[in-house]
Amino acid sequence: MNPTDEKIIITKLKAGDNEAYKYLYDYHYVALCKFSYYILKDKVQAESIVSDVIFHLWEIRENLELIPPLRNYLITAVRNKCLNYLALKQQEVEIRFSSIEQGGIQLQNIIPDNQQPLGILLKQELENKIQEAIDKLPPVCKQVFTMSRFREMSYEEISKELGISINTVKYHIKSALVTLKKELGTFLCIIFAFYPTLL
């Protein structure tokens, strides 16, 4: 698509035209996911960030001054969000390890190991707590979350299999995360040590 055509897309986007929103996915999603994955080396998180960037662009479209090519804006936004994610992830690791040790629990005593019965029992208890929390989710929300986190399916794959939009998939994932973090609040530090990609 040439710059003149993208000017039309931008005009339609700012007017709330769904076809313009679809254009962002059709022409930019795959390339942005590859770019995001190059930075993160995490397929699920890479796709999540790209979806977040495109959705955020849609949310604030009326207040943005966009100029072609749109991919320049999207690449910059994805890059910044990836770097922010990596920085926050590193910070979370440092904080939760510090919290665990301050609580009198040494990390080596809670990491699962076939030679450490305490670690095995704790892991089993955590799995039970996580499953109980997941079982409380609404049926579709539970299905979407399970497909994302346990079957490692992308938002696009879930969308196609369930026949729902990518935005709907994103809504269910965010809803599930809010619920699970609320249900598992007291276990979060240890859960992150065992399952760093779950929440």
Side-chain angles (χ1 to χ4, degrees), residues 46-65:
E47 293 177 351
S48 176
I49 281 179
V50 172
S51 293
D52 282 347
V53 166
I54 294 177
F55 185 66
H56 184 61
L57 171 59
W58 174 255
E59 287 183 314
I60 64 173
R61 62 190 182 278
E62 296 178 357
N63 300 318
L64 281 179
E65 292 299 325

Side-chain angles (χ1 to χ4, degrees), residues 89-106:
K89 187 176 180 182
Q90 180 60 35
Q91 186 179 37
E92 286 175 357
V93 169
E94 293 171 358
I95 290 173
R96 65 175 176 258
F97 282 3
S98 174
S99 298
I100 289 170
E101 291 176 357
Q102 286 175 10
I105 305 174
Q106 295 302 311

Side-chain angles (χ1 to χ4, degrees), residues 171-190:
Y171 167 78
H172 284 305
I173 293 293
K174 286 192 173 181
S175 178
L177 291 175
V178 169
T179 300
L180 292 180
K181 286 178 180 178
K182 182 178 179 181
E183 291 286 334
L184 300 169
T186 57
F187 295 89
L188 287 184
C189 283
I190 300 177

